[in-house]
Every structure is written in C-alpha cells, then in structure tokens.
Amino acid sequence: MKVVIAEKPSVAREIAILLGATEKKEGYLTGNGYQVTWAFGHLVSLAMPEDYGVNGFQRETLPVLPNPFLLTVRKVKKDKSYVRDLGALKQLNVIDQLFKNCESIVVATDAGREGELIFRYIYEYLNCSKPFERLWISSLTEKAILNGFNNLNPGKDFDGLHQAAVGRSRADWLVGINASQALTIASGGGIYSLGRVQTPTLALICKRFLENKSYVIKQYWQIELEHRKEFTDFKSLSTIKLEGSKQADDALKSLQRHGTALVIGIETKTVNEQPPLLFDLTALQKEANIKLNLTAEETLNIAQSLYEKKFISYPRTGSKYIPEDMWGEISKLIWILEETQKFKGVVAKMKIGRLNKRIVNDLKVTDHHGLLITHKVPSALSAKEKAIYEMIAYRLLETVSPVCTKEITNLVLQVLHYDFELKGIKIIDAGWRAINGSFSDQGKDPIQDLPELKIGDEVKIKAARILENKTKPPAPYTEASLLSAMENAGNKIGNEEERKVLQGTGIGTPATRAAIIETILKLEYVKRDKKSLVPSDKGLKVYELVKDMKISNVKMTSEWELALQKIENKEADIATFQKKIEAFTITITQELLVLSIEVEKQPELICPKCKAQKLAIRDKLVKCKDENCNWVQFRNICGVKLSLVDLEALITKGKTSLLKGMVSKSGKKFDAFIVMNEVGETSFVFPDRKKKK
C-alpha cells in the first residue's frame, strides 16, 4: 500500500479521484492500492521557548539558542498560553498510522520550499523511515497529475530544497523570538515584534515615509507651446526650468511676440519593444495592486483558489519563463482561450504558427515555470477571480505576440534663446500591444504624431502658456512599489562589488512577501492610507530604535536569501548558515537589551463595571484584572485607535473627544464621540445628532 500525502484536503480529493482511492475513511481516502491523506498546512512546527524550559520574557535567558531544535504539534493560543491544536493532533495521528503500515510514501504537498518543509517536519516528528518519492507538478489538471505520478522523483533529489526550508525556518525562529523578546524586555511595557524579513521591510517603508516628509518642495515654471503644421497639432515644452513667476511671465511675452519656433535638432529611430514576460507571483501581485487595487495577500489567495480549481498553474512561482519541452503546449492553451467570448476575437487575429519564443529559457525556470492558464475552460468564477484569470490570459497572449515597432522622433525647437523639446511616437506595427489595446505604460510617452519636419524649418506658435510645477518628493510605498523594492533589494546596495553579488536577490520570496506585508499591518507598525502604506507612531518608534542595527539592513537580509538559494542548490551547507545566524542573534540580542526606551506613561484607571479592580492597558485592548469581572474594551474602533488620552476621558468622564475618520462596515467614513454608561457599555454619539446604540 502506498500513502500519498497532500498539503490540504481539497488537493487530496482531486488526487484520490484520479488514483481510484474513492472510499472515505477518517482523515484519508483509500482504494486501488493507495491511501490518500492530507495535512492542514503546518501540522508540525519548531518548538516554542517554553518547550525548552524557558518561560516568560526573561533577560537572563536570552538569547535562546536551541541545540538541537525540537519539533512540536502546531499550537494555538488559548487564554494566556499556547496549547496543542487538537485538530492538528488528530490528523497527525491518522498520518502516523498510515505511515507505519505503508510500503512507501508519495509526497504531494505543494511543489516548493514551504510544501517540502510541511512534509519533512511531519516525517521527522513521526520518526518515520519509510522510503518516499516526490510528486512535482505545476498544475492540478488531470493530465498534470497523471503525468506527475508516471514520473515520480526520488525524495533525495529534494534534500537541498529541504535544507534551505529548514535553514529559513530556524533563522526566522532565532531572530524573531530573541529580538522580539529582547526589545519587549527593554521597553518595560507593551509587546514588540522584530523579524528577519519583517524588520528590513518596515525599515524600507519608514525610510521612504520620512524622506517624503522631510523633502523640501521647490516650485518651478516651464512654458508649453502649441503648434500646428500640415493639419497636425503638437506641443513642445521648454527645457529650462524657470525659478520665478516674473521670469516666466517675461519669457512668455517675449515668445508670444516672436511667434515662430525654429527646428534645430531631429533624431528619428525605430524601436522594437519586446513583449513582457509571463507573470511570476510578485509581478502578478504588483499588476493587480495597480490595476485592481488588490492587496498582495488578496491576489495570492485568489491565484491559489484558481490553481485549486485547475484554471491556472502553480501560483507561488519566482520564474517568468517556461522550459523548451513545454513550448508545444502554448498553442493549445491559446486555442482554449478561443472558446471564451472575451478572447475569441483576439485569438482569431494571432499568427499561431509564428509565435514569439521569448519566454522559452530552460536556465531561467526555477522550481516552477511562469504563470499560465490550463486546458480547463473557467466557469463559475467570482468577479475578482475572473479579473485575475483574464490578467494571466492576456499576459500569455502578449508574451507570444510579435514585437511592437515604434518610430520615435525627438525634436528640438528654438525660440529666441530658449530651447523646447518634444517627442513624437508613431506605431508602425502594434504587435503585442494590440492584444490589450494599451500602447503606452500608465500614460508614459503618449502617442503623438508629428508632421514631416527638417532642420531649419519654422513652425508657428499657435499658443503659449506657463505651466506652474513643483518638484515631487519620493512617494510613500504602495503594495506594488514595496513588492518591487523587496524583490530588487540587492540592486540598491551602495557598494558596487556587493551589489553585483546580490543583484537580483531580494528580501523574502514570492511566496512569503504578501505574508510579511500582512504581518507588519497586523502588528500595527504600518497602516493603509488609501493606496499607500505608511508607518504608525509605533512603527516609527521601532524603526528609530533599530534603523542602525543589522536587523534592519537590507544588505544582510539579501545575503541570507542568497545563502538559502545556495543551500537549495547544494552549493553551501545549513550548519555554516545556522552558525552565522546564531552569531548574529547573540549580537542583536545584546544590542537590544541595552536600549533605553521611553515609554508613554499609562494612566491608572479603575474598571467601570466592577468599580474595584485596576485596568490592564494593552496595545489592542483594555481589560479588568479581575477575571470574574471580564470587562474588556478594544482600543481599535472602526479603524481608529483610542489614544491613552481618549481612553482616560472615556473611563473617567464617560466620553471621548470627537474621533474622526472612522469607517463603517459598509466602508463609509464618519465622525463620532464614544460614550460609556454606568456599567461600562459603549455607544456612538454623532455630532448634532441623537445618541445611537
């Protein structure tokens, strides 16, 4: 009997149907010589400090450096402590019995670093020694699954991937646990969290935010001219940026009196604009954030859903290419799109026999190829699923289309002693840009036809106007621009030699970046302000404390990611990597423990319900210290956090100041006071309106 273990029940069911294992049992399906079971993500994880006998946040116990690391059943928070997840324990017992009684195992967890770790931790925790093979597939279609089972890989082929996953897991534990506890102890109050990837990501956001705030905006003036020749209208812009409005006014009057502009420079070139590559996960998340305003996590969840419904290939990919042996499938996927009304007309115009092979590159395919649709025609999709599917489909059609050929003309005009520039762009062959009808990127270099001109020609000034402009500060990060910064962190390193080594190495991976962004949002270090990600006061406070420490250094984090890649490729060993992480952990823990952190003085408040016990004031809530009383007040109300001043006013005087910018469940913003009655119950009072429960 062979046991197949998948990452989640839905995938296990798909595999079981194809294998003929249709008899349902508690925690698995059986039949035709197979038993197909599943995990629920990470059933087993690295043990917590208390499992090593280290309880609470104690200065003298830090740093905690486990040797060896222990594994434990997944834990969940209950009251003030963590207890074993009974659901995880139950399923783990099922897997244990199946492993003990089988001949061999087929690993069918997701084909990536984290999927490998999920299985290996279970295998190690259960002290299993049965032989195992690896199912390595990039989509869940019937064809892909059956082909995968016909070509199972030896388990040892993925030992490098396993070691890299363990290295990442231990590094995150060592840095996260020790640094977080050290900063919390140093603060003397409140709970703080630091992490191997989350802290440099927070540093990126805070640094950009502070650059934006400290930027000195300068005004400048330019003059725009309108021209007309041979029935063609076009505009030019002064190259000089004038520093005063009077200077601009004087220049404008002189130009208007002169009336004509002289052509003094022409440069025309033909440019072949290559089509984009396929989406990897990060590129899809960026595009979806820009065009659909979806968060990175939302995009990942939607893509995962489409994958599990067999409509797209494996989404957690870091590659934008396909291998040579997949090229034959591409034309079949295009014909699949012809069956849908949305793409029927587009596909009909494509030259299927002369497709662009730019996406074919065996050397640039990592664990998985770029994102593709599958042979299954989509049905019953939600609006967001449909939008993401169409985004991936359009990208596929664009990638295999011809280059877009443009004629670009750069023109220089002169009026008196002022130079004016303009760019003319003419589409000769739309190529891939005809697929979606977008001929320039986000308004950059708009299409502008020019008349036939040569040096020495004069063109009439039809109109002239002054444009008042301001220099722009670096914009706060959006999720799209932050993902780019995380992806290209290695490219921004100052030292040229180090930059070359780390070029193309980011912080985090395509599979983890969305989770990192969500983590710093949940920690309330960062908040969303429309499309921007901006630090909170708490986030800025943490940044100021650690900005000069290695834990916030993008260079070091990129080096770690590079080391993990080398471990995966069996070019480096995990023991050396772990020693470096441990040495760093000792250093950062000592640096953090000596910090002196100014803590906002908390008011001493008595419970409004029992009128006897003092209140415990936490970051997210205020609660009575008497467990029998059980009074709790959450500090975040409709998206606005109660300050200590408002909290004190609410409990001692029964009313806060006017809280502005709260958001209702329907997404509408409103302002209101929070009031409290004699037994500690709260309600809204709206300005100039009656009290509403």
Side-chain angles (χ1 to χ4, degrees):
M1 186 72 75
K2 278 190 176 183
V3 168
V4 180
I5 179 167
E7 193 162 317
K8 55 180 70 173
S10 58
V11 177
R13 284 193 292 271
E14 295 291 345
I15 291 171
I17 290 168
L18 293 176
L19 295 178
T22 54
E23 187 182 347
K24 290 183 181 179
K25 297 285 187 179
E26 186 69 35
Y28 67 101
L29 296 122
T30 185
N32 199 29
Y34 288 97
Q35 292 172 324
V36 183
T37 188
W38 53 83
F40 299 109
H42 283 279
L43 294 180
V44 174
S45 58
L46 293 177
M48 299 300 287
E50 54 267 27
D51 297 309
Y52 299 97
V54 179
N55 293 310
F57 287 46
Q58 302 171 48
R59 185 181 292 266
E60 59 274 12
T61 61
L62 295 181
V64 184
L65 303 173
N67 184 21
F69 273 91
L70 302 176
L71 295 174
T72 184
V73 179
R74 183 172 67 203
K75 292 186 175 183
V76 291
K77 195 168 186 180
K78 187 176 181 182
D79 298 325
K80 294 182 179 179
S81 61
Y82 284 88
V83 297
R84 292 199 296 181
D85 182 338
L86 294 179
L89 183 60
K90 182 181 178 183
Q91 186 62 16
L92 203 55
N93 287 333
V94 170
I95 295 169
D96 188 23
Q97 290 305 310
L98 294 175
F99 279 7
K100 282 176 178 174
N101 297 319
C102 75
E103 295 170 8
S104 64
I105 301 164
V106 176
V107 184
T109 49
D110 281 359
R113 190 187 284 176
E114 217 55 29
E116 191 69 19
L117 190 66
I118 285 169
F119 165 71
R120 296 285 188 130
Y121 272 175
I122 292 171
Y123 187 80
E124 184 182 341
Y125 180 78
L126 297 177
N127 199 26
C128 184
S129 59
K130 295 290 174 73
F132 61 88
E133 296 173 289
R134 192 59 160 101
L135 176 72
W136 195 264
I137 55 177
S138 289
S139 77
L140 288 174
T141 59
E142 181 177 332
K143 181 180 177 181
I145 294 170
L146 292 176
N147 187 50
F149 269 94
N150 288 329
N151 296 279
L152 292 171
N153 299 285
K156 63 180 175 58
D157 287 1
F158 299 90
D159 285 349
L161 183 67
H162 165 226
Q163 291 296 306
V166 170
R168 193 277 310 154
S169 179
R170 290 178 181 176
D172 286 347
W173 193 101
L174 287 165
V175 177
I177 294 287
N178 287 291
S180 298
Q181 289 202 13
L183 186 58
T184 299
I185 290 166
S187 74
I191 301 293
Y192 291 89
S193 175
L194 299 175
R196 183 182 67 88
V197 181
Q198 79 181 42
T199 303
T201 303
L202 173 65
L204 284 171
I205 294 169
C206 291
K207 187 171 183 288
R208 174 63 65 84
F209 175 78
L210 293 172
E211 286 171 349
N212 175 275
K213 291 298 175 190
S214 63
Y215 184 87
V216 178
I217 294 173
K218 294 179 181 177
Q219 277 190 305
Y220 66 91
W221 288 260
Q222 285 178 286
I223 297 174
E224 183 184 71
L225 303 180
E226 284 187 25
H227 313 278
R228 183 174 177 82
K229 186 170 184 178
E230 297 173 4
F231 306 104
T232 302
D233 293 313
F234 54 101
K235 295 176 182 178
S236 63
L237 187 66
S238 63
T239 57
I240 191 170
K241 294 178 180 179
L242 304 166
E243 294 180 359
S245 57
K246 185 179 185 307
Q247 191 182 3
D249 284 335
D250 292 344
L252 180 67
K253 288 171 185 173
S254 298
L255 293 166
Q256 287 171 329
R257 280 197 299 269
H258 195 75
T260 59
L262 180 68
V263 179
I264 63 168
I266 298 177
E267 182 190 8
T268 300
K269 57 184 177 181
T270 302
V271 174
N272 287 327
E273 188 182 17
Q274 290 289 345
L277 296 168
L278 294 171
F279 284 124
D280 64 2
L281 177 59
T282 302
L284 179 68
Q285 287 169 320
K286 288 191 288 187
E287 190 89 349
N289 182 247
I290 293 166
K291 293 185 176 177
L292 304 174
N293 202 24
L294 294 174
T295 68
E297 185 180 50
E298 284 176 320
T299 302
L300 175 56
N301 290 339
I302 293 164
Q304 184 68 22
S305 173
L306 289 169
Y307 168 66
E308 290 174 16
K309 291 176 179 176
K310 309 179 189 177
F311 297 137
I312 67 167
S313 62
Y314 185 67
R316 289 176 169 83
T317 177
S319 177
K320 298 179 179 181
Y321 295 87
I322 62 168
E324 180 72 46
D325 61 14
M326 274 197 69
W327 178 246
E329 293 294 309
I330 296 300
S331 58
K332 296 173 188 175
L333 295 178
I334 293 171
W335 289 125
I336 290 292
L337 286 174
E338 196 189 30
E339 296 179 34
T340 63
Q341 193 61 40
K342 179 87 176 179
F343 296 99
K344 194 177 183 69
V346 179
V347 173
K349 295 175 185 175
M350 295 187 69
K351 297 173 182 177
I352 305 295
R354 294 168 57 193
L355 297 178
N356 189 332
K357 288 187 73 174
R358 184 169 179 245
I359 57 171
V360 177
N361 191 323
D362 287 325
L363 297 175
K364 291 188 177 180
V365 176
T366 52
D367 293 339
H368 297 279
H369 55 69
L371 265 166
L372 292 170
I373 60 166
T374 66
H375 293 89
K376 187 176 179 184
V377 178
S379 59
L381 297 182
S382 68
K384 289 179 179 179
E385 285 176 331
K386 185 171 181 286
I388 292 294
Y389 178 85
E390 289 178 355
M391 201 172 267
I392 294 168
Y394 269 124
R395 178 55 62 91
L396 166 62
L397 297 178
E398 287 173 342
T399 62
V400 295
S401 294
V403 297
C404 171
T405 305
K406 296 178 179 180
E407 185 181 84
I408 299 176
T409 301
N410 290 300
L411 207 62
V412 182
L413 306 177
Q414 192 176 65
V415 187
L416 300 173
H417 57 282
Y418 298 104
D419 285 354
F420 290 78
E421 288 181 336
L422 65 153
K423 181 186 283 189
I425 299 179
K426 182 179 179 181
I427 302 292
I428 297 171
D429 184 348
W432 66 271
R433 283 199 173 273
I435 298 294
N436 218 345
S438 175
F439 298 102
S440 65
D441 297 319
Q442 298 174 14
K444 183 184 173 185
D445 291 339
I447 306 304
Q448 178 176 238
D449 279 334
L450 297 178
E452 289 289 331
L453 290 167
K454 61 183 184 297
I455 291 176
D457 282 355
E458 287 192 343
V459 291
K460 188 177 179 182
I461 299 172
K462 184 181 169 187
R465 68 175 64 86
I466 295 170
L467 300 181
E468 186 177 338
N469 294 308
K470 294 178 182 178
T471 56
K472 292 181 180 178
Y477 281 116
T478 62
E479 287 208 30
S481 59
L482 179 61
L483 286 165
S484 284
M486 293 173 77
E487 183 181 32
N488 300 305
N491 301 358
K492 300 179 187 300
I493 291 163
N495 184 294
E496 188 177 348
E497 205 169 296
E498 291 173 344
R499 186 171 62 249
K500 282 181 181 177
V501 173
L502 296 171
Q503 202 155 23
T505 304
I507 55 176
T509 64
T512 61
R513 287 177 191 134
I516 292 298
I517 294 170
E518 289 303 315
T519 295
I520 56 177
L521 284 162
K522 285 172 186 170
L523 288 167
E524 295 183 348
Y525 287 170
V526 172
K527 55 190 176 183
R528 288 191 174 96
D529 180 10
K530 296 178 182 174
K531 276 197 165 188
S532 297
L533 294 170
V534 296
S536 64
D537 291 341
K538 184 179 179 182
L540 285 169
K541 182 178 177 181
V542 171
Y543 171 68
E544 288 299 330
L545 290 168
V546 302
K547 67 181 180 182
D548 297 323
M549 296 182 184
K550 283 187 177 180
I551 194 167
S552 63
N553 192 320
V554 162
K555 171 181 168 288
M556 188 189 65
T557 316
S558 293
E559 285 175 348
W560 288 348
E561 295 295 346
L562 185 63
L564 289 171
Q565 286 177 21
K566 287 183 176 179
I567 292 169
E568 186 172 327
N569 297 333
K570 299 181 181 178
E571 297 167 2
D573 66 277
I574 186 174
T576 304
F577 174 71
Q578 190 170 319
K579 281 178 184 174
K580 288 181 180 177
I581 295 290
E582 286 176 353
F584 168 75
T585 300
I586 293 168
T587 302
I588 191 65
T589 303
Q590 291 169 346
E591 286 178 346
L592 290 167
L593 285 173
V594 297
L595 285 177
S596 177
I597 301 173
E598 187 180 330
V599 181
E600 190 178 3
K601 190 177 179 182
Q602 294 185 348
E604 288 194 1
L605 302 172
I606 302 298
C607 175
K609 184 179 178 184
C610 70
K611 310 286 195 285
Q613 280 288 343
K614 287 183 179 179
L615 295 176
I617 301 173
R618 303 281 183 258
D619 231 20
K620 295 185 178 181
L621 55 83
V622 185
K623 61 184 291 188
C624 182
K625 291 183 178 179
D626 184 349
E627 291 186 6
N628 294 322
C629 173
N630 257 345
W631 182 85
V632 175
Q633 173 62 53
F634 289 97
R635 290 182 67 177
N636 193 312
I637 301 174
C638 297
V640 173
K641 185 176 180 180
L642 288 179
S643 67
L644 289 179
V645 172
D646 274 318
L647 200 56
E648 186 174 14
L650 179 64
I651 291 166
T652 59
K653 298 175 184 176
K655 187 178 181 181
T656 66
S657 62
L658 183 65
L659 301 179
K660 295 186 176 182
M662 289 190 280
V663 182
S664 68
K665 287 181 180 178
S666 63
K668 292 182 179 178
K669 286 193 173 184
F670 67 96
D671 304 335
F673 301 94
I674 309 294
V675 297
M676 182 179 286
N677 64 19
E678 299 77 14
V679 291
E681 295 170 336
T682 56
S683 56
F684 294 120
V685 167
F686 298 94
D688 303 321
R689 288 169 61 182
K690 291 183 180 179
K691 184 175 175 180
K692 180 180 177 183
K693 273 272 186 184

